[in-house]
Amino acid sequence: MRTTQSFRTLIATTQASMATLSSTMPSAQRVALISENVTGPPGAEMLRLSNISSSEQVSILDNASGAGILVSHLIDLAANTPHLQLQRIVAGDIDPSALTYARERQQAHLTTNSSSAWSKVEIQKIDQHDIPFPDSSFTHIFANLGILFSPNDSKALSETYRVLQPNGTAGFTTWKGIKWWADLAKPAFAKYLPDAPGLPAPEDVFPSPGWKDSKAILEKLDRAGFVDVKVTEFNFAPKVVPEEFCEATAALVKLIAKRAWSEADFGLHAEKLEGAMLRYYLEEFGEGKKEVRMTALITIGKKS
């Protein structure tokens, strides 16, 4: 599969430079796009493991789709697989900001190529716990890291199973561990924010536990009715720009701190988190792009 051209690169064709674009983007959108350097590879590997490239006519739901990185990978795959016909693509998310970014991404593709398969993509608000489609609507349903944010994963899995066609394929990616927390964030805060209260690791605050453990995942999908379930460990090491990586990861840390800290502590320390991480990163690992080791779990199951 060829590397997916990012939304930022597409937009940059009408901008003076990448730096100009990044500096003028709203912070939340910039963080979403930076994060795709980390979230994109597990999504692409999920597509590969799903064996979707051997199919001919498919209808796909990208559940909790974010800004649409999985759809980008899917469309690239179809462009290089002539027999793979994308009959329907639905990209759904509950976050209005994510939907806005996805629509902007779609428009950027269609501006450069009006016949792009992006014209088939339906972007809409979807709650993974209450999917607004009839039973057996899709041949494939994917959730790239989205199941991690479900407060009721049993309901999300049952809804996925319901709208999947018989013999259809479902795919989920989750984090086995978030290594940058132990290697970067935790020591950075200990060194440069010693007076700040402690914080739980990101993998310990997701609403539904068990998604970092292969055995627990198998049990979850078995209870939901899926068959032929396989969980695969996926190790990868994306190259990241220190400033971008710390900006994106600090955004997640701030969300954790918002829940874990008092309002007073948050007001005192939250805006210092990114700076502490970047300072530690540059001192320990140096400037320039660096590889960051990541481990995801990719789960593929079928509807009987």
Side-chain angles (χ1 to χ4, degrees):
M1 187 189 308
R2 62 186 175 89
T3 303
T4 302
Q5 184 183 28
S6 72
F7 176 43
R8 192 193 306 185
T9 303
L10 285 167
I11 295 293
T13 60
T14 61
Q15 300 291 333
S17 67
M18 181 73 79
T20 300
L21 174 66
S22 180
S23 65
T24 57
M25 276 184 179
S27 177
Q29 182 176 4
R30 187 172 60 251
V31 166
L33 297 174
I34 292 169
S35 298
E36 289 184 351
N37 192 35
V38 171
T39 62
E45 182 67 4
M46 175 171 59
L47 292 178
R48 188 186 73 81
L49 292 175
S50 75
N51 203 29
I52 193 172
S53 61
S54 67
S55 303
E56 294 185 358
Q57 296 184 341
V58 296
S59 53
I60 299 137
L61 170 61
D62 179 14
N63 213 354
S65 60
I69 184 60
L70 187 73
V71 172
S72 283
H73 283 308
L74 178 64
I75 289 175
D76 271 5
L77 176 62
N80 291 284
T81 313
H83 64 265
L84 180 59
Q85 302 297 312
L86 304 177
Q87 292 187 312
R88 187 183 190 188
I89 312 169
V90 177
D93 203 291
I94 200 169
D95 181 3
S97 296
L99 297 174
T100 296
Y101 306 156
R103 292 186 180 107
E104 291 176 354
R105 181 185 224 133
Q106 180 184 46
Q107 187 57 48
H109 280 277
L110 294 177
T111 297
T112 58
N113 179 12
S114 60
S115 62
S116 166
W118 276 93
S119 63
K120 299 181 180 179
V121 180
E122 306 166 34
I123 300 171
Q124 58 185 279
K125 184 176 180 179
I126 294 177
D127 181 345
Q128 62 181 320
H129 309 92
D130 186 20
I131 300 174
F133 295 105
D135 296 357
S136 305
S137 292
F138 300 96
T139 62
H140 296 76
I141 299 176
F142 299 110
N144 188 28
L145 304 173
I147 195 72
L148 287 173
F149 299 94
S150 166
N152 185 349
D153 58 354
S154 296
K155 179 61 174 175
L157 288 173
S158 68
E159 276 292 275
T160 299
Y161 190 88
R162 180 184 65 80
V163 298
L164 194 62
Q165 293 179 10
N167 203 39
T169 300
F172 307 89
T173 62
T174 54
W175 294 122
K176 182 177 181 180
I178 299 179
K179 192 167 177 57
W180 59 260
W181 176 261
D183 291 351
L184 172 62
K186 191 173 181 179
F189 303 151
K191 185 173 183 179
Y192 298 119
L193 297 175
D195 296 329
L199 287 170
E203 61 263 36
D204 293 328
V205 299
F206 293 122
S208 294
W211 287 98
K212 62 181 181 180
D213 178 75
S214 297
K215 183 178 179 181
I217 293 172
L218 289 170
E219 292 173 351
K220 288 174 183 286
L221 267 74
D222 180 68
R223 288 195 297 269
F226 291 95
V227 297
D228 299 331
V229 179
K230 294 182 180 179
V231 181
T232 303
E233 188 171 306
F234 176 57
N235 297 293
F236 65 108
K239 285 188 174 182
V240 301
V241 176
E243 293 79 5
E244 293 183 345
F245 185 70
C246 290
E247 180 183 9
T249 51
L252 175 59
V253 176
K254 287 179 183 178
L255 291 176
I256 296 170
K258 188 72 173 176
R259 295 183 178 183
W261 289 348
S262 68
E263 185 175 342
D265 284 330
F266 187 83
L268 185 61
H269 301 293
E271 293 307 314
K272 302 175 185 177
L273 294 169
E274 181 181 339
M277 292 174 66
L278 180 58
R279 182 179 176 185
Y280 187 87
Y281 189 112
L282 294 176
E283 288 182 356
E284 294 294 319
F285 309 113
E287 298 181 355
K289 283 189 173 184
K290 303 291 181 181
E291 289 187 346
V292 179
R293 291 175 293 162
M294 312 288 287
T295 302
L297 294 176
I298 301 175
T299 304
I300 304 295
K302 307 280 287 187
K303 181 175 180 177
S304 58

